[in-house]
Amino acid sequence: MSDEESTEYYTLLCDDPSHEVVLIDCGPREMDVILAVRKVTGQSLWHSRVLARQAPVIVLEGLSAYRAQSAVAVLQRAGASAKWRQEPDPDERTPPST
């Protein structure tokens, strides 16, 4: 490159901030919810059971709004109380509220 040419670098910002899925409560159909957690997370049945029994808990992170809404829909169809929200900045992390 000659002295006249210069390289410019740009930082691209994502239009859609990442979202997370929060399992608030399993409800009366715990086994159905455990299977739904397994379906959306891809974890083993044992890990899904442990995760579901820790509610309220963040189940998934770093999702687009569409994928977060889809995961919440799967959990709610199984009888769970769940919601999706925009992920807070790393310095603003707080535990899930009920």
Side-chain angles (χ1 to χ4, degrees):
M1 280 175 50
S2 68
D3 292 335
E4 295 175 8
E5 295 179 33
S6 66
T7 304
E8 294 181 15
Y9 296 96
Y10 296 95
T11 302
L12 299 177
L13 299 176
C14 182
D15 292 336
D16 186 21
S18 58
H19 295 79
E20 59 191 15
V21 175
V22 180
L23 175 65
I24 298 169
D25 184 43
C26 284
R29 298 176 7 207
E30 182 180 7
M31 192 60 202
D32 291 340
V33 174
I34 290 169
L35 293 173
V37 169
R38 182 179 188 193
K39 181 177 182 177
V40 298
T41 63
Q43 294 183 343
S44 69
L45 188 60
W46 184 82
H47 282 103
S48 298
R49 181 178 60 96
V50 169
L51 190 61
R53 289 183 175 173
Q54 292 176 349
V57 64
I58 297 171
V59 177
L60 295 167
E61 297 176 296
L63 302 175
S64 67
Y66 175 77
R67 292 194 61 185
Q69 289 173 344
S70 298
V72 167
V74 169
L75 293 169
Q76 288 176 341
R77 277 194 303 267
S81 175
K83 68 177 182 177
W84 65 277
R85 64 182 184 192
Q86 184 176 333
E87 284 187 12
D89 292 330
D91 54 335
E92 297 176 6
R93 273 269 178 228
T94 57
S97 61
T98 55

XYZ file of all heavy atoms in Angstrom:
761
model
N 0.828 -1.185 0.000
C 0.000 0.000 0.000
C 0.866 1.239 0.000
O 1.890 1.297 0.670
C -0.901 0.024 1.238
C -2.107 -0.858 1.093
S -3.192 -1.028 2.518
C -3.521 0.582 3.063
N 0.434 2.213 -0.734
C 1.183 3.462 -0.775
C 0.750 4.342 0.381
O -0.218 4.067 1.088
C 0.967 4.168 -2.112
O -0.371 4.613 -2.197
N 1.461 5.428 0.540
C 1.139 6.357 1.629
C -0.202 7.038 1.412
O -0.846 7.471 2.356
C 2.234 7.422 1.750
C 3.537 6.827 2.240
O 3.474 5.775 2.916
O 4.600 7.408 1.953
N -0.636 7.120 0.157
C -1.892 7.786 -0.150
C -3.101 6.916 0.195
O -4.187 7.429 0.438
C -1.930 8.168 -1.632
C -0.883 9.192 -2.006
C -0.861 9.453 -3.498
O -1.760 8.959 -4.211
O 0.056 10.147 -3.942
N -2.921 5.608 0.195
C -4.028 4.702 0.512
C -4.110 4.500 2.016
O -3.097 4.443 2.699
C -3.813 3.347 -0.164
C -3.848 3.400 -1.667
C -3.609 2.037 -2.279
O -4.021 1.032 -1.672
O -3.001 1.996 -3.355
N -5.285 4.407 2.486
C -5.459 4.142 3.917
C -6.538 3.076 4.090
O -7.405 2.897 3.245
C -5.839 5.413 4.672
O -7.114 5.855 4.251
N -6.463 2.386 5.165
C -7.438 1.351 5.467
C -8.369 1.873 6.538
O -7.927 2.421 7.551
C -6.738 0.079 5.969
O -5.788 -0.326 4.996
C -7.726 -1.021 6.221
N -9.659 1.717 6.305
C -10.639 2.140 7.292
C -11.321 0.905 7.871
O -11.665 -0.018 7.150
C -11.688 3.045 6.652
C -11.113 4.354 6.175
C -12.179 5.249 5.567
O -13.380 4.987 5.778
O -11.791 6.204 4.891
N -11.490 0.894 9.162
C -12.146 -0.207 9.849
C -13.434 0.303 10.462
O -13.490 1.401 11.001
C -11.248 -0.793 10.943
C -9.995 -1.418 10.402
C -8.806 -0.708 10.356
C -10.020 -2.716 9.939
C -7.646 -1.287 9.844
C -8.874 -3.306 9.429
C -7.696 -2.578 9.387
O -6.574 -3.163 8.880
N -14.465 -0.508 10.391
C -15.754 -0.149 10.952
C -16.216 -1.247 11.901
O -15.991 -2.421 11.660
C -16.815 0.008 9.852
C -16.508 1.136 8.898
C -15.855 0.903 7.700
C -16.873 2.434 9.211
C -15.578 1.933 6.827
C -16.598 3.478 8.347
C -15.949 3.226 7.157
O -15.672 4.235 6.301
N -16.871 -0.847 12.938
C -17.493 -1.799 13.842
C -18.963 -1.881 13.489
O -19.652 -0.868 13.443
C -17.342 -1.343 15.304
O -15.957 -1.201 15.597
C -17.978 -2.340 16.249
N -19.425 -3.072 13.190
C -20.825 -3.261 12.842
C -21.629 -3.546 14.099
O -21.239 -4.363 14.929
C -20.978 -4.422 11.858
C -20.256 -4.252 10.532
C -20.437 -5.509 9.685
C -20.777 -3.040 9.791
N -22.733 -2.870 14.221
C -23.611 -3.090 15.365
C -24.793 -3.925 14.917
O -25.360 -3.710 13.854
C -24.110 -1.757 15.928
C -23.027 -0.820 16.437
C -23.642 0.502 16.865
C -22.283 -1.445 17.593
N -25.153 -4.875 15.723
C -26.274 -5.750 15.406
C -27.583 -4.974 15.552
O -27.787 -4.268 16.536
C -26.261 -6.952 16.354
S -27.564 -8.112 16.026
N -28.434 -5.087 14.559
C -29.723 -4.403 14.627
C -30.618 -5.018 15.688
O -31.417 -4.352 16.302
C -30.433 -4.474 13.280
C -29.727 -3.658 12.220
O -29.006 -2.720 12.577
O -29.918 -3.975 11.038
N -30.510 -6.318 15.865
C -31.354 -7.035 16.808
C -30.505 -7.471 17.996
O -29.699 -8.391 17.877
C -31.978 -8.254 16.129
C -32.975 -8.967 17.012
O -33.481 -8.347 17.966
O -33.259 -10.138 16.739
N -30.644 -6.823 19.152
C -29.844 -7.238 20.306
C -30.209 -8.657 20.724
O -31.296 -9.149 20.415
C -30.222 -6.228 21.397
C -31.525 -5.667 20.967
C -31.574 -5.761 19.474
N -29.306 -9.306 21.408
C -29.569 -10.683 21.807
C -30.597 -10.736 22.933
O -30.742 -9.807 23.709
C -28.274 -11.377 22.220
O -27.667 -10.687 23.277
N -31.295 -11.850 22.977
C -32.364 -12.063 23.951
C -32.110 -13.339 24.731
O -31.323 -14.187 24.314
C -33.719 -12.153 23.232
C -34.117 -10.885 22.572
N -33.606 -10.489 21.359
C -34.960 -9.907 22.959
C -34.127 -9.327 21.018
N -34.954 -8.955 21.964
N -32.794 -13.443 25.850
C -32.689 -14.644 26.671
C -34.083 -15.134 27.024
O -35.048 -14.377 27.008
C -31.859 -14.384 27.928
C -32.400 -13.300 28.826
C -31.424 -12.877 29.915
O -30.228 -13.202 29.825
O -31.878 -12.207 30.852
N -34.158 -16.432 27.313
C -35.419 -17.076 27.676
C -35.347 -17.438 29.150
O -34.384 -18.077 29.599
C -35.661 -18.343 26.828
C -36.903 -19.077 27.293
C -35.758 -17.978 25.358
N -36.352 -17.011 29.897
C -36.401 -17.266 31.337
C -37.566 -18.203 31.641
O -38.705 -17.923 31.262
C -36.575 -15.946 32.128
C -36.621 -16.222 33.621
C -35.459 -14.965 31.793
N -37.259 -19.324 32.269
C -38.282 -20.244 32.757
C -38.652 -19.784 34.160
O -37.813 -19.793 35.065
C -37.754 -21.682 32.787
C -38.674 -22.733 33.374
C -39.932 -22.891 32.522
C -37.947 -24.060 33.509
N -39.885 -19.344 34.325
C -40.310 -18.790 35.610
C -40.830 -19.886 36.539
O -40.491 -19.929 37.719
C -41.384 -17.707 35.392
C -40.776 -16.567 34.564
C -41.928 -17.188 36.711
C -41.760 -15.566 34.039
N -41.655 -20.794 35.992
C -42.232 -21.862 36.811
C -42.624 -23.025 35.907
O -43.053 -22.822 34.774
C -43.471 -21.335 37.548
C -44.056 -22.359 38.498
O -43.277 -23.023 39.208
O -45.292 -22.494 38.528
N -42.464 -24.241 36.422
C -42.817 -25.435 35.644
C -44.312 -25.671 35.564
O -44.787 -26.289 34.611
C -42.155 -26.675 36.245
S -40.422 -26.787 35.880
N -45.037 -25.226 36.551
C -46.470 -25.491 36.562
C -46.746 -26.932 36.975
O -45.860 -27.655 37.427
N -47.979 -27.391 36.789
C -48.357 -28.729 37.258
C -47.837 -29.864 36.378
O -47.788 -31.003 36.829
C -49.891 -28.686 37.240
C -50.222 -27.664 36.209
C -49.113 -26.647 36.267
N -47.435 -29.571 35.142
C -46.982 -30.629 34.224
C -45.462 -30.617 34.110
O -44.891 -30.356 33.053
C -47.631 -30.421 32.860
C -49.130 -30.507 32.925
C -49.876 -30.229 31.651
N -49.086 -30.060 30.452
C -49.485 -29.341 29.413
N -50.639 -28.715 29.437
N -48.734 -29.231 28.334
N -44.797 -30.941 35.212
C -43.336 -30.836 35.279
C -42.637 -31.681 34.213
O -41.701 -31.222 33.577
C -42.840 -31.240 36.668
C -41.344 -31.103 36.813
C -40.829 -31.499 38.185
O -41.613 -32.009 39.015
O -39.630 -31.307 38.409
N -43.077 -32.904 34.002
C -42.399 -33.769 33.032
C -42.515 -33.216 31.613
O -41.551 -33.262 30.839
C -42.953 -35.194 33.104
C -42.120 -36.200 32.347
S -40.442 -36.232 33.029
C -39.559 -36.905 31.650
N -43.674 -32.667 31.262
C -43.843 -32.060 29.940
C -42.901 -30.866 29.768
O -42.327 -30.664 28.696
C -45.290 -31.606 29.732
C -46.266 -32.773 29.615
O -45.801 -33.899 29.315
O -47.465 -32.552 29.830
N -42.743 -30.095 30.821
C -41.851 -28.935 30.771
C -40.399 -29.391 30.661
O -39.610 -28.804 29.907
C -42.069 -28.021 31.995
C -41.039 -26.901 32.032
C -43.482 -27.459 31.978
N -40.029 -30.429 31.372
C -38.664 -30.957 31.284
C -38.362 -31.401 29.852
O -37.297 -31.109 29.306
C -38.461 -32.118 32.284
C -38.464 -31.573 33.720
C -37.158 -32.860 32.000
C -38.531 -32.637 34.794
N -39.315 -32.063 29.234
C -39.131 -32.484 27.837
C -39.048 -31.279 26.902
O -38.287 -31.289 25.932
C -40.259 -33.423 27.412
C -40.270 -34.785 28.119
C -41.517 -35.569 27.741
C -39.013 -35.572 27.795
N -39.807 -30.234 27.198
C -39.745 -29.014 26.385
C -38.400 -28.312 26.565
O -37.818 -27.813 25.595
C -40.889 -28.074 26.758
N -37.890 -28.278 27.791
C -36.562 -27.691 28.041
C -35.514 -28.479 27.267
O -34.617 -27.903 26.637
C -36.234 -27.676 29.556
C -34.772 -27.332 29.800
C -37.139 -26.695 30.285
N -35.649 -29.782 27.274
C -34.719 -30.627 26.519
C -34.784 -30.306 25.023
O -33.769 -30.224 24.343
C -35.042 -32.099 26.754
C -34.104 -33.035 26.052
C -34.461 -34.464 26.336
N -33.420 -35.336 25.785
C -33.562 -36.632 25.652
N -34.670 -37.220 26.043
N -32.604 -37.350 25.141
N -35.992 -30.102 24.535
C -36.174 -29.817 23.110
C -35.524 -28.485 22.720
O -34.843 -28.408 21.701
C -37.663 -29.788 22.777
C -37.957 -29.514 21.331
C -39.444 -29.566 21.057
C -39.721 -29.349 19.588
N -41.150 -29.473 19.286
N -35.715 -27.442 23.506
C -35.199 -26.129 23.118
C -33.711 -25.953 23.413
O -33.042 -25.175 22.743
C -36.005 -24.966 23.758
C -37.440 -24.991 23.311
C -35.897 -24.951 25.254
N -33.193 -26.682 24.413
C -31.776 -26.515 24.762
C -30.878 -27.559 24.115
O -29.685 -27.325 23.940
C -31.558 -26.587 26.281
O -31.937 -27.889 26.758
C -32.316 -25.502 27.007
N -31.429 -28.741 23.824
C -30.611 -29.813 23.280
C -29.799 -30.542 24.335
O -28.927 -31.345 24.021
N -30.080 -30.284 25.598
C -29.356 -30.943 26.682
C -29.957 -32.314 26.962
O -31.026 -32.665 26.469
C -29.409 -30.084 27.944
C -28.672 -28.775 27.816
C -28.695 -27.985 29.115
O -29.494 -28.244 30.009
N -27.822 -27.008 29.213
N -29.252 -33.068 27.789
C -29.742 -34.391 28.168
C -30.992 -34.252 29.042
O -31.285 -33.172 29.565
C -28.666 -35.148 28.942
O -28.473 -34.548 30.216
N -31.697 -35.344 29.193
C -32.892 -35.342 30.032
C -32.540 -34.988 31.473
O -33.250 -34.219 32.128
C -33.580 -36.711 29.960
C -34.933 -36.832 30.629
C -35.927 -35.857 30.022
C -35.446 -38.249 30.503
N -31.444 -35.508 31.957
C -31.022 -35.230 33.336
C -30.719 -33.737 33.515
O -31.186 -33.120 34.473
C -29.793 -36.068 33.692
C -29.377 -35.888 35.114
C -29.896 -36.510 36.202
C -28.369 -35.006 35.606
N -29.271 -36.084 37.352
C -28.327 -35.157 37.004
C -27.503 -34.111 35.014
C -27.455 -34.430 37.801
C -26.641 -33.394 35.813
C -26.620 -33.561 37.193
N -29.929 -33.143 32.608
C -29.608 -31.719 32.704
C -30.858 -30.857 32.556
O -30.989 -29.821 33.226
C -28.570 -31.325 31.649
C -27.183 -31.731 32.014
N -26.572 -32.825 31.445
C -26.304 -31.208 32.895
C -25.368 -32.951 31.966
N -25.178 -31.991 32.846
N -31.765 -31.269 31.704
C -33.014 -30.526 31.518
C -33.851 -30.555 32.790
O -34.458 -29.555 33.168
C -33.809 -31.111 30.356
O -33.078 -30.995 29.163
N -33.887 -31.687 33.464
C -34.636 -31.806 34.726
C -34.027 -30.919 35.798
O -34.737 -30.201 36.509
C -34.654 -33.262 35.203
C -35.425 -33.471 36.498
C -35.449 -34.935 36.896
N -34.125 -35.471 37.114
C -33.530 -35.576 38.319
N -34.176 -35.197 39.396
N -32.333 -36.070 38.428
N -32.712 -30.936 35.909
C -32.023 -30.099 36.895
C -32.304 -28.620 36.612
O -32.617 -27.854 37.526
C -30.501 -30.382 36.886
C -29.750 -29.350 37.700
C -30.222 -31.785 37.415
N -32.211 -28.234 35.344
C -32.448 -26.848 34.964
C -33.887 -26.436 35.255
O -34.135 -25.368 35.828
C -32.126 -26.657 33.480
C -32.095 -25.242 32.944
C -31.017 -24.424 33.647
C -31.827 -25.259 31.452
N -34.845 -27.270 34.903
C -36.256 -26.945 35.115
C -36.587 -26.811 36.593
O -37.401 -25.972 36.981
C -37.143 -28.006 34.472
N -35.968 -27.606 37.419
C -36.247 -27.559 38.855
C -35.577 -26.387 39.559
O -35.850 -26.143 40.733
C -35.838 -28.875 39.517
C -36.770 -29.990 39.124
C -36.450 -31.281 39.808
N -37.452 -32.294 39.492
C -37.352 -33.555 39.855
N -36.317 -33.971 40.547
N -38.302 -34.407 39.522
N -34.731 -25.650 38.847
C -34.082 -24.469 39.420
C -34.881 -23.197 39.156
O -34.431 -22.109 39.502
C -32.673 -24.296 38.850
C -31.702 -25.353 39.265
C -30.358 -25.184 38.585
O -30.196 -24.402 37.656
N -29.378 -25.916 39.070
N -36.030 -23.312 38.538
C -36.829 -22.137 38.146
C -37.066 -21.226 39.348
O -37.275 -21.710 40.447
C -38.153 -22.591 37.560
N -36.999 -19.922 39.168
C -36.783 -19.180 37.929
C -35.308 -19.226 37.509
O -34.412 -19.028 38.328
C -37.225 -17.763 38.256
C -37.019 -17.633 39.724
C -37.225 -19.019 40.299
N -35.096 -19.506 36.219
C -33.744 -19.674 35.704
C -33.694 -19.254 34.237
O -34.677 -19.375 33.514
C -33.288 -21.148 35.874
C -34.128 -22.086 35.049
C -31.832 -21.322 35.555
N -32.544 -18.755 33.816
C -32.333 -18.426 32.414
C -32.010 -19.728 31.692
O -31.052 -20.416 32.035
C -31.198 -17.398 32.241
C -31.570 -16.093 32.930
C -30.899 -17.180 30.759
C -30.443 -15.090 33.008
N -32.826 -20.072 30.703
C -32.683 -21.332 29.985
C -31.778 -21.175 28.763
O -30.940 -22.029 28.494
C -34.070 -21.872 29.570
C -33.946 -23.135 28.756
C -34.932 -22.113 30.786
N -31.957 -20.090 28.021
C -31.185 -19.844 26.807
C -30.749 -18.385 26.763
O -31.465 -17.506 27.245
C -32.020 -20.150 25.559
C -32.431 -21.598 25.342
C -33.497 -21.684 24.263
C -31.231 -22.428 24.950
N -29.597 -18.137 26.156
C -29.075 -16.784 26.015
C -28.540 -16.579 24.602
O -28.236 -17.542 23.901
C -27.924 -16.538 26.994
C -28.303 -16.631 28.441
C -27.112 -16.466 29.360
O -26.207 -17.309 29.317
O -27.102 -15.462 30.101
N -28.439 -15.329 24.204
C -27.824 -15.005 22.932
C -28.674 -15.321 21.715
O -28.152 -15.618 20.656
N -29.982 -15.236 21.858
C -30.890 -15.571 20.761
C -31.433 -14.322 20.079
O -31.497 -13.256 20.685
C -32.079 -16.376 21.294
C -31.783 -17.676 22.014
C -33.071 -18.253 22.575
C -31.135 -18.663 21.074
N -31.868 -14.492 18.850
C -32.606 -13.422 18.187
C -33.991 -13.363 18.829
O -34.416 -14.305 19.515
C -32.728 -13.708 16.691
O -33.559 -14.840 16.480
N -34.701 -12.285 18.591
C -36.044 -12.143 19.165
C -36.955 -13.264 18.676
O -37.734 -13.831 19.456
C -36.630 -10.785 18.812
N -36.853 -13.619 17.403
C -37.705 -14.672 16.846
C -37.434 -16.020 17.514
O -38.368 -16.730 17.902
C -37.481 -14.781 15.337
C -38.244 -15.918 14.712
C -39.609 -15.805 14.470
C -37.610 -17.114 14.397
C -40.322 -16.854 13.912
C -38.321 -18.169 13.838
C -39.674 -18.030 13.599
O -40.380 -19.077 13.064
N -36.167 -16.380 17.660
C -35.836 -17.677 18.283
C -36.225 -17.693 19.754
O -36.667 -18.722 20.273
C -34.354 -17.984 18.111
C -34.025 -18.260 16.636
C -32.705 -18.870 16.447
N -32.659 -20.153 17.152
C -31.576 -20.885 17.247
N -30.464 -20.496 16.687
N -31.591 -22.035 17.908
N -36.078 -16.563 20.443
C -36.479 -16.493 21.850
C -37.988 -16.662 21.980
O -38.462 -17.407 22.845
C -36.026 -15.167 22.458
N -38.759 -16.001 21.114
C -40.214 -16.134 21.145
C -40.633 -17.572 20.847
O -41.559 -18.096 21.475
C -40.861 -15.202 20.125
C -40.781 -13.743 20.501
C -41.271 -12.848 19.381
O -41.406 -13.261 18.238
N -41.521 -11.587 19.720
N -39.955 -18.204 19.919
C -40.274 -19.591 19.568
C -40.019 -20.527 20.743
O -40.824 -21.415 21.030
C -39.453 -20.041 18.362
O -39.758 -19.264 17.239
N -38.901 -20.341 21.429
C -38.570 -21.179 22.586
C -39.587 -20.982 23.704
O -40.020 -21.951 24.339
C -37.158 -20.875 23.075
N -39.995 -19.741 23.935
C -40.998 -19.463 24.964
C -42.316 -20.131 24.600
O -42.994 -20.697 25.460
C -41.171 -17.937 25.169
C -42.416 -17.624 25.985
C -39.944 -17.364 25.851
N -42.687 -20.102 23.333
C -43.928 -20.734 22.894
C -43.899 -22.238 23.162
O -44.893 -22.817 23.614
C -44.168 -20.467 21.413
N -42.767 -22.891 22.906
C -42.635 -24.329 23.168
C -42.799 -24.606 24.659
O -43.512 -25.536 25.067
C -41.271 -24.858 22.655
C -41.001 -26.267 23.157
C -41.219 -24.803 21.137
N -42.168 -23.804 25.493
C -42.258 -23.995 26.947
C -43.681 -23.750 27.450
O -44.186 -24.503 28.287
C -41.266 -23.074 27.659
C -39.789 -23.385 27.435
C -38.916 -22.257 27.975
C -39.402 -24.708 28.059
N -44.330 -22.714 26.933
C -45.690 -22.408 27.382
C -46.686 -23.476 26.943
O -47.614 -23.793 27.676
C -46.103 -21.023 26.884
C -45.378 -19.912 27.609
C -45.709 -18.530 27.074
O -46.202 -18.378 25.960
N -45.399 -17.518 27.867
N -46.495 -24.038 25.747
C -47.382 -25.120 25.307
C -47.256 -26.343 26.213
O -48.193 -27.123 26.347
C -47.079 -25.514 23.861
C -47.740 -24.619 22.843
C -47.712 -25.220 21.457
N -46.364 -25.532 20.983
C -45.607 -24.713 20.246
N -46.057 -23.532 19.905
N -44.406 -25.084 19.867
N -46.084 -26.507 26.829
C -45.880 -27.637 27.742
C -46.434 -27.357 29.130
O -46.421 -28.226 29.989
C -44.390 -27.953 27.830
N -46.912 -26.124 29.358
C -47.507 -25.797 30.653
C -46.650 -24.936 31.544
O -47.011 -24.647 32.682
N -45.503 -24.491 31.054
C -44.598 -23.681 31.864
C -44.977 -22.210 31.797
O -45.637 -21.758 30.872
C -43.162 -23.842 31.373
N -44.527 -21.496 32.785
C -44.596 -20.042 32.754
C -43.197 -19.578 32.340
O -42.221 -19.847 33.032
C -44.964 -19.514 34.144
O -44.922 -18.112 34.155
N -43.105 -18.914 31.187
C -41.810 -18.496 30.659
C -41.957 -17.162 29.956
O -43.053 -16.776 29.547
C -41.272 -19.543 29.690
N -40.844 -16.449 29.826
C -40.845 -15.176 29.105
C -39.499 -14.993 28.426
O -38.527 -15.670 28.746
C -41.140 -14.009 30.036
C -40.037 -13.728 31.063
C -40.367 -12.528 31.896
C -39.230 -12.237 32.883
N -39.494 -11.027 33.656
N -39.473 -14.082 27.479
C -38.219 -13.725 26.823
C -37.985 -12.243 27.055
O -38.919 -11.469 27.227
C -38.238 -14.079 25.343
C -39.240 -13.318 24.527
C -40.566 -13.612 24.398
C -39.016 -12.158 23.752
N -41.175 -12.703 23.581
C -40.246 -11.794 23.158
C -37.894 -11.382 23.477
C -40.385 -10.693 22.330
C -38.033 -10.287 22.644
C -39.259 -9.960 22.083
N -36.729 -11.877 27.104
C -36.377 -10.479 27.325
C -35.035 -10.186 26.682
O -34.259 -11.097 26.389
C -36.327 -10.173 28.818
C -35.245 -10.953 29.555
C -35.249 -10.678 31.022
N -34.140 -11.381 31.661
C -34.015 -11.520 32.950
N -34.931 -11.038 33.765
N -32.979 -12.158 33.457
N -34.786 -8.925 26.466
C -33.503 -8.515 25.913
C -32.441 -8.714 26.983
O -32.658 -8.404 28.155
C -33.553 -7.054 25.493
C -32.300 -6.577 24.822
C -32.431 -5.142 24.324
O -33.527 -4.686 24.040
N -31.323 -4.452 24.247
N -31.294 -9.254 26.569
C -30.220 -9.468 27.532
C -29.688 -8.137 28.017
O -29.446 -7.232 27.218
C -29.072 -10.252 26.890
C -29.354 -11.706 26.728
C -28.139 -12.470 26.236
O -27.025 -11.931 26.235
O -28.327 -13.629 25.844
N -29.485 -8.008 29.320
C -28.877 -6.781 29.832
C -27.392 -6.746 29.490
O -26.797 -7.767 29.129
C -29.100 -6.885 31.340
C -29.251 -8.345 31.600
C -29.845 -8.943 30.359
N -26.808 -5.569 29.582
C -25.367 -5.455 29.384
C -24.656 -6.288 30.443
O -25.185 -6.494 31.538
C -24.922 -3.998 29.494
C -25.439 -3.160 28.338
O -25.621 -3.726 27.239
O -25.662 -1.953 28.544
N -23.448 -6.788 30.156
C -22.743 -7.649 31.115
C -22.576 -7.023 32.501
O -22.613 -7.721 33.498
C -21.381 -7.878 30.462
C -21.626 -7.677 29.006
C -22.710 -6.648 28.905
N -22.426 -5.710 32.578
C -22.251 -5.076 33.886
C -23.586 -4.840 34.596
O -23.611 -4.447 35.746
C -21.495 -3.763 33.756
C -22.115 -2.804 32.755
O -22.806 -3.292 31.833
O -21.918 -1.597 32.896
N -24.706 -5.120 33.919
C -26.023 -4.930 34.509
C -26.700 -6.250 34.848
O -27.891 -6.289 35.083
C -26.926 -4.159 33.538
C -26.457 -2.773 33.237
C -27.335 -2.100 32.198
O -28.363 -2.684 31.818
O -26.968 -1.004 31.765
N -25.981 -7.371 34.869
C -26.571 -8.701 35.109
C -27.257 -8.766 36.454
O -26.709 -8.398 37.480
C -25.481 -9.768 35.094
C -25.189 -10.277 33.748
C -26.049 -11.483 33.464
N -25.746 -11.904 32.127
C -26.641 -12.177 31.225
N -27.900 -12.117 31.512
N -26.302 -12.548 30.032
N -28.503 -9.248 36.423
C -29.258 -9.476 37.652
C -29.942 -10.828 37.531
O -30.188 -11.300 36.431
C -30.339 -8.387 37.869
O -31.193 -8.375 36.737
C -29.713 -7.016 38.065
N -30.272 -11.442 38.647
C -30.988 -12.724 38.569
C -32.383 -12.515 37.994
O -32.931 -11.414 38.060
C -31.045 -13.194 40.015
C -30.720 -12.027 40.848
C -29.972 -11.054 39.996
N -32.981 -13.553 37.407
C -34.311 -13.431 36.834
C -35.318 -13.033 37.886
O -35.288 -13.524 39.009
C -34.628 -14.813 36.288
C -33.403 -15.611 36.418
C -32.431 -14.877 37.268
N -36.214 -12.134 37.541
C -37.272 -11.741 38.465
C -38.517 -12.553 38.161
O -38.731 -12.965 37.043
C -37.560 -10.247 38.345
O -37.991 -9.964 37.022
N -39.317 -12.752 39.165
C -40.534 -13.537 38.963
C -41.707 -12.681 38.624
O -41.763 -11.545 38.641
C -40.846 -14.355 40.213
O -40.920 -13.481 41.336
C -39.833 -15.426 40.411
